[in-house]
C-alpha cells in the first residue's frame, strides 16, 4: 500500500517539480544520488573505482518533448567524453533509460533508438559499454526490441530484466546467448497481477530461476540485488565463470566493499543529475525504513 502510494507520487509531475526545486531536500537525496551535475559526480566515481566498477545513470525519465530527448543524448555524450578524458572508461560504463531519450514521444521507438545509437557510438569511442535500463512493463517489448537492434552494431549493449514479471524467465532464455550482457533485478515499478508476481517470495523464486538460466547461458550475468540470499546463490553459481554483482549507490555500501575485497566484480549503479525525484521515490518505496529516516530528517532540519 505504502509502496504503491510512493510510486504513484513518484510519477506526479507536480510533486516532482516542487521536490526538485526544494533545496532542503538535496542533502537527503544525496544518500542515493551523487550530486546534481557531472562535476559533483566525478570525484565520487573516482573514489568508487579504487575497489569497484561503476555504471553511471544521468538521471532523467519520461521526457515530454524532443528538446528534452536531445538534451539527454547530449548529456550522455558529455559524460562519456569526460569519463574517457579522466581515464575512467575502463572501469565505468553508463546506464540509460529509453524514456529519457524520447521513447514515450510520437515515433518514440525510432527517436529512442536514434538517441541510444548516438550514445552507444560515443561509448564505443570512449572504450566502454552501455546498459539499457528497464522501465515499467508497458515498455518491455519496445525496450528489448531496441536492445536487439542496438546489438547488431554494438554487441556489448546490456539488457535489463525484472524477476517480478512473469515473462522474464522466457526473456532470459532469449537473451542469454554468446557475448550478451544481462542485468537481472527484481523490478522497481508497481505492476498489475496480470503480468507480475504479487508476493516477495514469488519474485525471489523467479529471480533464482532466472539466475539459473543466465548462468547456464553463454553471456555475462549481471546480478543486481542487495538481497544477501540471492547474492550468496549468485556467488555459488558464478564460482567458476565470469559474472558481475551490482548494487545501487548508497545501498549496503559495506557489503559492496566486502564483496569487492573478496574478489567479486562489484559494480555500483551511480545516478547524478537534477531530475532525481522518480528515482528517489523508487528507493523510498523499496524500504519503509527509508521513509521514516526521510521524514525524521525533514523534521530535525526545521
Ligand atoms: P529487496 O528489495 O528485497 O532488498 C533486499 C535488501 O536490500 C533489503 O532488505 C535492504 O537491506 C536492502 N535494500 C534494498 N533496497 C534498498 C533501499 N532502497 N534502501 C535501503 N536498503 C535497501 N529496477 C528496474 O525496474 N529497472 C532497472 O533497470 C533497474 N536497474 C537496477 C540496477 C542495479 C545495479 C540495481 C542494484 C537495481 C536496479 N533496479 C532496477 C532496482 C531493483 O529492481 C530493485 O528495486 C532494488 O534493487 C531492490 O531490490 P533488491 O533486489 O535489492 O531486494
Amino acid at each position: 500500500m505504502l509502496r504503491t502510494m510512493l510510486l504513484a507520487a513518484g510519477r506526479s509531475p507536480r510533486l516532482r517539480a516542487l521536490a526538485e526545486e526544494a533545496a532542503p531536500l538535496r542533502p537527503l537525496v544525496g544518500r542515493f544520488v551523487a550530486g546534481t551535475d557531472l562535476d559533483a559526480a566525478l570525484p565520487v566515481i573516482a573514489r568508487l573505482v579504487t575497489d569497484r566498477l561503476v555504471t553511471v545513470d544521468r538521471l532523467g525519465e519520461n521526457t515530454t518533448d524532443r528538446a528534452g530527448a536531445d538534451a539527454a543524448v547530449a548529456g550522455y555524450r558529455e559524460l562519456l567524453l569526460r569519463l574517457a578524458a579522466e581515464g575512467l572508461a575502463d572501469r565505468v560504463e553508463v546506464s540509460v533509460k529509453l524514456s529519457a531519450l524520447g521513447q514515450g514521444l510520437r515515433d518514440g521507438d525510432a527517436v529512442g533508438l536514434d538517441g541510444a545509437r548516438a550514445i552507444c557510438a560515443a561509448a564505443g569511442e570512449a572504450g566502454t559499454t552501455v546498459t539499457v535500463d528497464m522501465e515499467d512493463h508497458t515498455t518491455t517489448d519496445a525496450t528489448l526490441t531496441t536492445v536487439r537492434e542496438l546489438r547488431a552494431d554494438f554487441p556489448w549493449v546490456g539488457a535489463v530484466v525484472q524477476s517480478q514479471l512473469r515473462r522474464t524467465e522466457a526473456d532470459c532464455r532469449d537473451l542469454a546467448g554468446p557475448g550478451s550482457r544481462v542485468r537481472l533485478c527484481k523490478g522497481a515499478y508497481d505492476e498489475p497481477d496480470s503480468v507480475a508476481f504479487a508476493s516477495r517470495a514469488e519474485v525471489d523464486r523467479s529471480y533464482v530461476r532466472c539466475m539459473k538460466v543466465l548462468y547456464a547461458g553463454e553471456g555475462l550475468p549481471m546480478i543486481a540485488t542487495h538481497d544477501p540470499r540471492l547474492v550468496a546463490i549468485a556467488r555459488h553459481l558464478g564460482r567458476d565463470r565470469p559474472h558481475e554483482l551490482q548494487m545501487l549507490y548508497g545501498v549496503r555500501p559495506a557489503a559492496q566493499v566486502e564483496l569487492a575485497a573478496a574478489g567479486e566484480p562489484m559494480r555500483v549503479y551511480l545516478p547524478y543529475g537534477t531530475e532525481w525525484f522518480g528515482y528517489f521515490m523508487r528507493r523510498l518505496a523499496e524500504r519503509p525504513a527509508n521513509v521514516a529516516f526521510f521524514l525524521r530528517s525533514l523534521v530535525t532540519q526545521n
Side-chain angles (χ1 to χ4, degrees):
M1 177 68 163
L2 179 62
R3 177 174 188 256
T4 302
M5 280 167 51
L6 289 165
L7 292 174
R11 290 193 302 274
S12 158
R14 197 155 159 264
L15 283 179
R16 169 183 158 169
L18 281 173
E20 287 175 356
E21 290 304 311
L25 293 183
R26 295 213 178 119
L28 306 177
V29 174
R31 172 177 168 191
F32 297 113
V33 175
T36 50
D37 62 24
L38 195 45
D39 286 332
L42 276 168
V44 183
I45 297 169
R47 180 172 53 76
L48 285 171
V49 295
T50 56
D51 64 342
R52 281 157 276 178
L53 305 166
V54 174
T55 183
V56 186
D57 170 25
R58 182 187 178 277
L59 288 165
E61 54 196 86
N62 301 323
T63 297
T64 52
D65 57 28
R66 186 60 198 255
D70 292 344
V73 174
Y76 269 102
R77 291 167 77 149
E78 184 199 353
L79 164 62
L80 286 156
L81 283 174
R82 290 286 295 276
L83 291 176
E86 308 268 339
L88 293 166
D90 58 332
R91 294 183 67 79
V92 184
E93 65 139 30
V94 299
S95 284
V96 175
K97 282 188 178 51
L98 291 179
S99 78
L101 309 185
Q103 189 185 49
L105 304 179
R106 187 195 301 259
D107 295 327
D109 290 341
V111 175
L113 177 61
D114 283 352
R117 264 192 212 291
I119 293 170
C120 289
E125 277 166 35
T128 189
T129 53
V130 176
T131 298
V132 179
D133 284 349
M134 189 57 80
E135 301 178 69
D136 73 71
H137 81 278
T138 62
T139 64
T140 307
D141 278 324
T143 299
L144 292 180
T145 300
T146 298
V147 168
R148 258 191 302 276
E149 293 184 30
L150 291 170
R151 278 187 174 168
D153 294 325
F154 309 100
W156 37 257
V157 169
V160 178
V161 289
Q162 301 151 319
S163 72
Q164 71 171 340
L165 296 187
R166 298 175 191 277
R167 60 177 286 165
T168 295
E169 192 180 343
D171 287 335
C172 288
R173 287 187 216 290
D174 289 347
L175 288 164
S180 66
R181 298 168 59 252
V182 183
R183 176 191 297 157
L184 175 63
C185 64
K186 290 190 186 180
Y189 296 84
D190 202 21
E191 303 287 16
D193 291 355
S194 53
V195 299
F197 298 111
S199 76
R200 281 180 165 268
E202 283 176 302
V203 173
D204 291 356
R205 280 197 293 271
S206 163
Y207 200 106
V208 176
R209 289 195 301 276
C210 293
M211 272 200 279
K212 287 183 175 162
V213 173
L214 294 178
Y215 280 97
E218 298 172 273
L220 181 74
M222 303 188 289
I223 302 304
T225 182
H226 315 91
D227 187 327
R229 289 169 315 156
L230 296 178
V231 171
I233 295 170
R235 294 186 74 187
H236 179 72
L237 292 172
R239 62 197 180 281
D240 48 18
R241 79 182 308 289
H243 75 163
E244 265 183 23
L245 304 178
Q246 301 191 342
M247 293 191 186
L248 301 175
Y249 177 68
V251 180
R252 300 198 65 214
Q256 295 176 17
V257 171
E258 272 173 33
L259 287 163
E264 291 290 349
M266 163 56 63
R267 192 177 293 275
V268 182
Y269 184 104
L270 179 138
Y272 77 93
T274 52
E275 294 181 35
W276 48 261
F277 185 62
Y279 180 88
F280 180 68
M281 294 303 278
R282 290 194 290 279
R283 301 295 78 82
L284 291 190
E286 274 153 13
R287 199 165 177 244
N290 288 347
V291 182
F293 167 81
F294 178 68
L295 292 175
R296 251 197 327 273
S297 312
L298 273 184
V299 171
T300 48
Q301 273 194 357
N302 290 325

